[in-house]
Amino acid sequence: MKKIIIESLISSEKTAIVENDKLVELLIEENDKSKLVSNIYRGIVKNVKVGLEACFVDIGFEKLAYLPLKKDSNIKSGMDIMVQINKEAVGTKGAKLNLEVSLSGRYLVYIPSNDRITISNRLKDEEERNRLKQLVKSLVKDDSGIIIRTEAAGCSEEELIKDFNELKEKFELINQQFKLGIGPKLLYKDLDFASKYVKDNVNDEVEEIVINDVDKYEEIKDILKNINKDYVNKLKLKENEDVFDLYRIQTQINKSLNKKVWLKNGGYLIIERTEALTVIDVNTGKFTGSGNREDTVYKTNLEACGEIARQLRLRDIGGIIIIDFIDMIKKKNKENLLKTLNLHIQKDKRKSEVLGLTRLGLVEVARRREKNSISEYYLEDCVMCDATMSIKSINYIMDDMEKEISRINAHTCYNNIAVELNPLVFSKIKAKYMEQVNKISEKYQMDICLKENEEISYEKYKIIYSS
């Protein structure tokens, strides 16, 4: 069975997806870096670059956003246009925009500016594909475009009609807002990671949805009511509790930050990340098996396939992945290994592909990169050892500190605390994180005082409290 555990903290909101008590995916949204992809804006064209087939658009951000243009485009400087972000700003580059806006529902994606009806390639059953296409064609009587999502498999005509009508009404409201006033304006904000995941993925297989924040609880409740009123019974509120500790999520996250991952049979993986690619090495470790070497190696490699697919999702590893399985002699075993890996990889909703064996006998996998891996949130380069190893980040320390303060608030009568920190951590928090500290103080009604302590290591802190 599947569980969705949502942890809302001052610094971030995290959504853990658990299958059979195993963490398989973790979505992290930093509250000071809200997701902008899919947001729709009214923008003003500032600079048209004919040679580059692009223009730059003011949508209210510090940096102008970039919009690719077709050769026959009639867009001119000074025009108001409706645009959607399809890639967030990176470094010195502004956000990348799209003129063809789309709105995603549970079963359909609505594209007002075209008239094509397409269907997800992940929906394989030809009979079901034809059924859905015919139903959607009968719905769309104007020139609107529709993408039928994988989640539409098995849904009824009534469900499709409801989804389509809601998306159409939503766009009509957005269009009304576009016509009101002048200048850059946010017209539509897409759901955050947690709400979007629940909207797209809740079904009968989800056993429970656990949330530690009242506001998020009410938001998710409204989403569930709109999908299926019975699903509201799956929702549980554990206000201000450490739900990641309660459901053993944090322990599994900590393990996912290690390079070594143990397999059930005693074998293990070594996962090494570089700027260009990720390398995964499979080892037999403690597993000796009861047969010959080929059987032992084959069994270890097969078990590694499932764990590798899980680790790619969990760590959110994208780009090129090179896997060094243990060498096998039999051709049939090698073929079955690739088939098994491919079966596990295909369960990933992110576009992923097993590209096959290289000349050196390594397996190459490609996985679309959409956002930062979880290690970039939880880890940072060690300042003491010239970045040759990673240590817990300030994000990790701040999250852990908030959860400890929450426990003190819930189980003691203390309302004044001093947090002793390593001088380097103290200076970083003072420089960039005091707004978060103040919000934690307000949330739990605690007076928080930060102090330096040279005897405390970089990753640790000490809390001293008084009434």
Side-chain angles (χ1 to χ4, degrees):
M1 291 296 282
K2 188 174 178 178
K3 293 176 183 174
I4 302 171
I5 317 296
I6 301 170
E7 176 188 77
S8 291
L9 298 174
I10 291 298
S11 61
S12 64
E13 182 177 85
K14 305 183 193 72
T15 307
I17 294 88
V18 179
E19 294 176 359
N20 300 318
D21 294 326
K22 260 193 169 183
L23 179 64
V24 295
E25 195 168 356
L26 183 68
L27 309 174
I28 302 175
E29 187 158 14
E30 295 179 61
N31 292 334
D32 63 344
K33 299 176 185 175
S34 297
K35 182 174 76 74
L36 299 174
V37 170
S38 297
N39 288 358
I40 299 173
Y41 295 81
R42 180 175 64 214
I44 302 175
V45 179
K46 288 293 183 182
N47 196 353
V48 179
K49 299 286 187 182
V50 178
L52 295 175
E53 294 184 8
C55 69
F56 293 91
V57 184
D58 180 5
I59 56 173
F61 292 4
E62 187 177 338
K63 297 172 188 169
L64 293 178
Y66 170 80
L67 174 66
L69 295 176
K70 294 179 181 177
K71 285 184 179 179
D72 58 352
S73 173
N74 60 355
I75 286 178
K76 303 284 190 288
S77 291
M79 286 179 64
D80 280 3
I81 55 173
M82 186 187 296
V83 289
Q84 188 167 32
I85 294 181
N86 65 6
K87 189 174 182 181
E88 303 209 15
V90 178
T92 58
K93 295 180 180 179
K96 188 177 179 182
L97 305 176
N98 193 348
L99 278 173
E100 188 172 80
V101 303
S102 62
L103 292 170
S104 180
R106 182 167 167 81
Y107 307 116
L108 306 171
V109 177
Y110 178 59
I111 309 170
S113 61
N114 76 42
D115 58 1
R116 298 187 301 274
I117 295 175
T118 56
I119 190 164
S120 167
N121 290 328
R122 294 177 68 88
L123 223 164
K124 303 294 185 185
D125 187 283
E126 202 58 41
E127 189 176 330
E128 179 64 1
R129 288 174 69 90
N130 290 331
R131 181 187 79 90
L132 290 169
K133 278 187 177 179
Q134 292 306 314
L135 281 176
V136 170
K137 280 180 182 176
S138 67
L139 281 177
V140 184
K141 296 171 183 175
D142 53 15
D143 293 331
S144 300
I146 292 290
I147 300 171
I148 303 168
R149 303 185 64 195
T150 310
E151 289 76 7
C155 73
S156 65
E157 182 178 5
E158 290 74 20
E159 288 172 317
L160 288 175
I161 291 171
K162 182 183 177 186
D163 208 37
F164 176 72
N165 288 338
E166 285 177 356
L167 292 171
K168 196 170 180 181
E169 288 170 13
K170 192 180 287 184
F171 180 72
E172 286 169 359
L173 289 172
I174 291 168
N175 208 26
Q176 287 174 18
Q177 288 296 312
F178 174 75
K179 293 173 182 176
L180 292 173
I182 58 172
K185 181 181 181 181
L186 174 63
L187 303 174
Y188 168 76
K189 182 173 174 54
D190 198 21
L191 294 173
D192 61 31
F193 287 150
S195 298
K196 187 171 177 58
Y197 185 87
V198 171
K199 185 200 77 172
D200 290 347
N201 296 280
V202 67
N203 53 35
D204 292 340
E205 291 180 7
V206 176
E207 182 182 6
E208 59 182 356
I209 304 166
V210 182
I211 302 172
N212 70 338
D213 179 78
V214 175
D215 292 338
K216 177 55 68 174
Y217 174 86
E218 294 298 332
E219 183 183 333
I220 299 293
K221 186 196 283 186
D222 289 340
I223 290 170
L224 295 177
K225 281 179 182 176
N226 196 42
I227 297 169
N228 183 335
K229 289 181 180 178
D230 291 341
Y231 287 168
V232 176
N233 297 327
K234 300 175 184 286
L235 200 56
K236 293 182 181 178
L237 174 64
K238 296 185 180 291
E239 189 175 4
N240 291 339
E241 287 193 43
D242 187 349
V243 288
F244 272 22
D245 181 57
L246 196 62
Y247 287 84
R248 298 189 306 106
I249 305 295
Q250 194 60 51
T251 302
Q252 295 185 66
I253 291 172
N254 292 342
K255 286 182 179 178
S256 77
L257 300 175
N258 295 330
K259 289 181 180 180
K260 181 179 279 191
V261 179
W262 285 100
L263 303 174
K264 279 185 180 178
N265 70 1
Y268 64 89
L269 312 175
I270 296 292
I271 302 175
E272 295 273 4
R273 306 243 359 237
T274 71
E275 285 188 24
L277 49 80
T278 299
V279 179
I280 302 176
D281 187 33
V282 183
N283 298 273
T284 51
K286 301 172 185 175
F287 181 57
T288 55
S290 54
N292 58 36
R293 181 190 180 279
E294 180 77 4
D295 289 342
T296 299
V297 166
Y298 181 53
K299 287 175 184 176
T300 302
N301 282 340
L302 285 184
E303 186 182 343
C305 288
E307 189 59 37
I308 287 168
R310 173 177 171 255
Q311 290 295 327
L312 295 183
R313 283 178 67 193
L314 175 54
R315 297 177 187 231
D316 214 338
I317 297 171
I320 298 296
I321 299 108
I322 300 294
I323 307 169
D324 186 7
F325 285 103
I326 309 164
D327 289 337
M328 295 180 295
I329 298 168
K330 294 181 181 178
K331 184 180 178 182
K332 185 179 178 182
N333 286 349
K334 293 178 182 179
E335 290 172 351
N336 285 340
L337 178 67
L338 288 178
K339 286 179 184 176
T340 303
L341 179 62
N342 195 52
L343 283 172
H344 285 290
I345 291 289
Q346 291 309 309
K347 295 175 186 176
D348 191 345
K349 287 195 173 184
R350 184 84 59 82
K351 187 177 179 180
S352 307
E353 187 180 359
V354 178
L355 301 175
L357 284 165
T358 69
R359 288 182 181 181
L360 296 174
L362 306 172
V363 176
E364 189 176 0
V365 175
R367 186 172 188 264
R368 188 196 299 170
R369 182 183 282 113
E370 291 184 358
K371 51 190 175 67
N372 292 339
S373 67
I374 68 168
S375 63
E376 291 177 59
Y377 179 84
Y378 283 111
L379 299 176
E380 61 185 43
D381 292 333
C382 179
V383 292
M384 304 294 188
C385 52
D386 299 322
T388 55
M389 65 175 287
S390 296
I391 55 175
K392 291 176 184 175
S393 67
I394 301 295
N395 290 327
Y396 191 115
I397 295 167
M398 289 293 296
D399 286 353
D400 196 63
M401 193 191 304
E402 179 180 345
K403 288 193 266 192
E404 186 58 37
I405 290 169
S406 174
R407 279 190 281 271
I408 293 168
N409 179 60
H411 301 294
T412 76
C413 59
Y414 299 113
N415 51 31
N416 289 285
I417 61 171
V419 183
E420 294 186 349
L421 302 156
N422 175 278
L424 278 173
V425 176
F426 175 85
S427 62
K428 287 183 179 181
I429 291 177
K430 276 288 188 180
K432 293 184 178 179
Y433 294 85
M434 282 312 296
E435 185 179 351
Q436 288 185 24
V437 172
N438 292 334
K439 285 180 179 178
I440 293 170
S441 176
E442 184 180 342
K443 180 178 178 179
Y444 300 103
Q445 298 182 326
M446 288 268 189
D447 288 329
I448 303 171
C449 174
L450 303 183
K451 295 181 177 181
E452 294 181 74
N453 186 336
E454 292 183 356
E455 295 181 2
I456 292 178
S457 66
Y458 188 91
E459 297 180 328
K460 303 290 184 182
Y461 62 86
K462 183 178 180 182
I463 293 182
I464 301 166
Y465 34 86
S466 60
S467 55

